[in-house]
Amino acid sequence: MANKTSLKTEFTKGLFKENPILVTMLGLCPTLAITVSLENALGMGIAFAFVLLMSNIVVSLIRKIVPSEIRIPVYIVIIATFVSIVEMLMAAYLPSLSDSLGVFIPLIVVNCIVLGRAEAFASKNGVLPSIMDALGMAVGYTMILALIASIREILGSGTLTIWGSLVLDINKLFGSNETLPIFSSFFISPAGAYLVLGIIFGVVATIRISKERKQKMLEKKAEEEKKAKLLQEKNNQQLNLNKGAGE
Amino acid sequence: MQVLSWLIGAILIQNVILSRFFGTCPFLGVSKSKDSAVGMGLAVTFVMTMAATVSWLLYKYVLVAFDLVYMKTIVFILVIASLVQIIEMFIKKFSPSLYRALGIYLPLITTNCAVLGLSTIVTDGTYTFLKAIIYSFGSGIGFLFIIYIFSILRQKMETSPIPEGFKGIPIALITACLMAMIIARFAGVA
């Protein structure tokens, strides 16, 4: 039933067109809270991807068995199960990441995005499209988390760290061993999170509005051209008729 | 005195919205009018206090006692969902006026991460029973306080000249940034 191109669109729609953070503006709590460092953002992205993927698969498998009156509680229990699995795995194998993400790992349960995908997509589609949908959404989500976290980490301390190794140190580029005064811990504080996210949303909305305006202008232009063409054709016809009458 | 410092800590210093980032969705979604902000805030306070109390008792006397701590998240979310249902039925029967005020906000609370977050925090082992109750109540009041102020600000924003792209959520987030800076100053108080 599902061919290759439709599977591909299920994946790519999560990246920009239906990006869970930028477009639906859901699940903002972890987006604001854990984006203090790129490492946290990637860790959260992996945990989120696992939960979304597994819950989408299971929900899609049982979609014909579950009575629709109790589907939401069933989905929540499924999601909570996978969240508990992630929580335990992380505490066992990545204890430092688990500490810094803290309560936001169990809070994936009430993340509107996961429940939203289960309800809006996996409960109506087959397993394969649901997998692609989950992967696309997870990549889109992680991308935006990583973007916000990178901005906050760089502006906050001038450095960027992944898995314990320094990737980028702007302070060193300027020959200084200490954090330069232009970088302020404001961006790592809660207030900085709201500011960065607000500006990102504002820029995205501005781009969208200007694009829509351009689209409308183009449409208007095309319509005018069409009208002009029609008018010309009519005139030509008239001319031909007149000519015919004259002869 | 101890109780007072817990309360102030929960309301201002570790404010659920502005320093813990819990419940950002209702904070941005339900703050368009004063009435709905107050309704949501009261409903959250009510459910949060009840949920944290029940979770604390269940955690201590059932989960720890029977060595089932790994079931924590699943148990808490079920507790919150059923608690919301029970509270809804209860106030529908005994106080129709309260139900009219809070009714539509109650189902939304099940997926409010502030409630599950608070239940998880008060069961981390450092909270006594009294502190868990006071702290969750204070957090609810903190939520109500901030969402109320924010709703007033947003009503003012409706008539302000804001660049088109920044209308709505973006400017709300930037306003929240300014509020978070103020709240962060309270950290020196206690």
Side-chain angles (χ1 to χ4, degrees), chain A residues 38-211:
Chain A
L38 185 56
E39 218 170 273
N40 279 0
L42 295 177
M44 185 71 190
I46 292 167
F48 178 84
F50 175 80
V51 173
L52 185 58
L53 183 62
M54 297 311 281
S55 75
N56 253 14
I57 291 174
V58 174
V59 167
S60 152
L61 282 174
I62 61 164
R63 70 185 188 279
K64 283 176 187 147
I65 313 167
V66 181
S68 70
E69 298 85 27
I70 57 156
R71 65 183 195 285
I72 300 288
V74 171
Y75 297 164
I76 290 182
V77 172
I78 291 170
I79 296 166
T81 311
F82 288 115
V83 168
S84 302
I85 293 172
V86 166
E87 209 181 339
M88 285 185 274
L89 284 176
M90 231 177 215
Y93 293 106
L94 298 164
S96 66
L97 188 65
S98 160
D99 279 346
S100 59
L101 293 179
V103 72
F104 285 94
I105 291 291
L107 285 186
I108 297 177
V109 179
V110 284
N111 192 318
C112 324
I113 302 170
V114 184
L115 191 61
R117 289 332 286 174
E119 166 73 9
F121 195 90
S123 64
K124 294 183 188 106
N125 288 285
V127 178
L128 219 53
S130 300
I131 292 175
M132 295 314 280
D133 176 71
L135 288 177
M137 288 290 158
V139 172
Y141 183 76
T142 313
M143 228 163 50
I144 302 300
L145 278 192
L147 172 72
I148 300 168
S150 311
I151 294 174
R152 285 182 70 191
E153 200 182 343
I154 289 177
L155 289 179
S157 62
T159 57
L160 204 59
T161 319
I162 303 181
W163 309 134
S165 59
L166 211 60
V167 178
L168 175 75
D169 192 340
I170 295 176
N171 301 316
K172 280 252 168 67
L173 291 181
F174 286 97
S176 145
N177 277 329
E178 287 164 19
T179 307
L180 291 171
I182 50 163
F183 302 118
S184 106
S185 61
F186 166 78
F187 286 98
I188 299 178
S189 77
Y194 281 110
L195 184 68
V196 171
L197 195 64
I199 290 176
I200 289 180
F201 277 170
V203 169
V204 169
T206 312
I207 292 172
R208 191 180 306 135
I209 287 169
S210 72
K211 240 186 195 167

Side-chain angles (χ1 to χ4, degrees), chain B residues 135-184:
Chain B
Y135 195 82
S136 51
F137 175 72
S139 297
I141 296 293
F143 183 88
L144 172 62
F145 176 58
I146 296 297
I147 202 171
Y148 178 68
I149 296 179
F150 196 61
S151 68
I152 300 172
L153 290 175
R154 279 191 86 170
Q155 276 177 346
K156 292 256 180 225
M157 271 182 243
E158 300 270 297
T159 53
S160 314
I162 298 164
E164 205 178 335
F166 278 79
K167 270 181 190 154
I169 302 273
I171 197 73
L173 282 167
I174 292 170
T175 315
C177 157
L178 299 176
M179 290 171 77
M181 284 167 78
I182 300 167
I183 286 290

Side-chain angles (χ1 to χ4, degrees), chain A residues 29-43:
Chain A
C29 311
T31 311
L32 290 161
I34 56 95
T35 49
V36 287
S37 71
L38 185 56
E39 218 170 273
N40 279 0
L42 295 177

